[in-house]
């Protein structure tokens, strides 16, 4: 792990703490309030705030997981630094792609 | 040894592809693991290879794996570690095995050099020593880390050393932390660069196995956390650029 990836991993963890808490609270509130999927989508569609919230969440989670998996690949599967970095970056890009699709579906589609 | 109380001991013999050999030694009221190994070598099998020097916990040369844990054997009493009247003694982990209980410490000490755990003089004239008051925070931090006896116990106990062979390991990083806190050093940033390279301090998982096993109660985890903090600060200030 380089100082930069160390910094990014700690930083994204800190970013995600309030996001996760908010995400969970909103889920519980929506379920308790008996909102249907349609009603929830009705509120998220076109909302720049929710788009920003989940775009940031997806980015932070993807970077965090990419770095973590890079470490696991290096330590458990004895990949070289380079091979582990490539695997970590590919995983991060995949998560960003999947996450972007989900954000698009919830906010625009 | 009829009538005498005995202790069963399994000792690793040969190289990496060796095996355990069992011995019976007299059980004494007060005996250290090193006493047991010495008894075997003096009375039962003079070909047994092991290493020691001071026998009083100063030189750091007698470390072995005793019943699964790395320990300094000259200060480890058998009564404290024997399980059901038995001892299993193996060489240290994470180091190339030479023979029996003797490992090759070269990678361990090479990493001390790679972590730049040595003093580099500054520019000033030699006869002008910088005053370092004992209560200065850096002096206190260096003092807390300095008493390492180079035994390799922490290195043997660290999972990250086992997982990636270029990891500098707890002892070298602990030493680098002590060296970085020496305000007279002429190139403190050089230490941060050394410990931030591949295999450096940021790979530590902070699981404290090193601190739990260090026979002289040092805390390399704490030292490594200090290096992480200092190097991240230097990184943000752009000081780590080659
Ligand atoms: S705290 Fe760090 S150096 Fe110590 S045993 Fe764990 S990974 Fe190794
Ligand atoms: S830090 Fe402790 S366990 Fe590690 S080499 Fe030094 S004295 Fe031995
Ligand atoms: S023989 Fe010197 S520390 Fe054990």
């Amino acid at each position: 792990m380089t100082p930069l990836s160390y910094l990014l991993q700690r930083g994204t963890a800190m970013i995600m703490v309030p996001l996760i808490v908010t995400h969970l609270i909103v889920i519980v509130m929506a379920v308790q309030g008996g909102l249907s999927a349609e009603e929830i989508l009705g509120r998220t569609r076109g909302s720049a705030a929710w788009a920003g919230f989940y775009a940031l969440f997806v980015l932070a989670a993807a970077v965090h997981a990419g770095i973590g998996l890079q470490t696991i690949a290096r330590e458990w599967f004895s990949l070289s630094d380079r091979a582990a970095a490539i695997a970590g970056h590919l995983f991060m890009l995949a998560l960003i792609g999947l996450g972007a699709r989900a954000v698009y579906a919830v906010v625009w589609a | 040894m009829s009538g005498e109380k005995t202790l069963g001991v399994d000792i690793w013999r040969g190289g990496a592809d060796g095996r355990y050999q069992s011995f019976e030694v007299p059980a004494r009221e007060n005996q250290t693991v090193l006493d047991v190994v010495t008894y075997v070598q003096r009375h039962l099998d003079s070909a047994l290879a092991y290493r020691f020097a001071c026998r009083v916990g100063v030189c750091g040369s007698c470390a072995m794996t005793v019943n699964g844990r790395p320990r300094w054997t000259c200060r480890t009493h058998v009564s404290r570690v024997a399980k059901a009247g038995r001892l299993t003694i193996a060489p240290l982990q994470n180091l190339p095995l030479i023979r029996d209980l003797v490992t090759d410490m070269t990678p361990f000490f090479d990493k001390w050099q790679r972590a730049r755990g040595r003093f580099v003089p500054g520019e000033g004239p030699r006869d002008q020593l910088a005053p370092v008051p004992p209560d200065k925070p850096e002096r206190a931090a260096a003092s807390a880390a300095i008493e390492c006896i180079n035994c390799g116990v922490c290195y043997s106990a660290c999972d990250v050393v086992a997982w990636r062979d270029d990891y500098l390991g707890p002892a070298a990083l602990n030493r680098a932390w002590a060296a970085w806190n020496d305000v007279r050093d002429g190139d403190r940033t050089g230490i941060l660069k050394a410990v931030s390279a591949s295999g450096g301090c940021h790979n530590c998982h902070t699981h404290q196995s090193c601190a739990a096993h260090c026979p002289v109660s040092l805390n390399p985890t704490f030292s490594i956390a200090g290096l992480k903090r200092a190097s991240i600060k230097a990184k943000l200030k752009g000081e780590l650029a080659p």
Side-chain angles (χ1 to χ4, degrees), chain A residues 1-4 6-7 10 71 74-76 81, chain B residues 163-164 166 196 198 202-203 205 228 232 235-236:
Chain A
M1 201 179 254
T2 62
L4 181 64
Y6 178 85
L7 202 59
R10 294 306 184 275
T71 304
R74 178 70 177 77
E75 292 178 357
W76 287 48
D81 276 344
Chain B
W163 290 331
R164 50 180 302 162
D166 68 344
S196 298
S198 177
H202 303 95
N203 295 290
H205 286 224
K228 286 177 180 168
I232 291 301
K235 171 84 188 163
L236 291 174

Side-chain angles (χ1 to χ4, degrees), chain B residues 154 157-160 167 169-170 204-211 221 224:
Chain B
C154 56
C158 175
D159 283 337
V160 178
Y167 178 48
C204 167
H205 286 224
T206 321
H207 61 21
Q208 308 229 30
S209 183
C210 51
T221 315
I224 294 168

Side-chain angles (χ1 to χ4, degrees), chain A residues 74-95:
Chain A
R74 178 70 177 77
E75 292 178 357
W76 287 48
F77 305 113
S78 307
L79 297 195
S80 67
D81 276 344
R82 218 185 126 70
I86 293 173
H89 279 88
L90 287 178
F91 191 80
M92 177 185 79
L93 289 177
L95 282 186

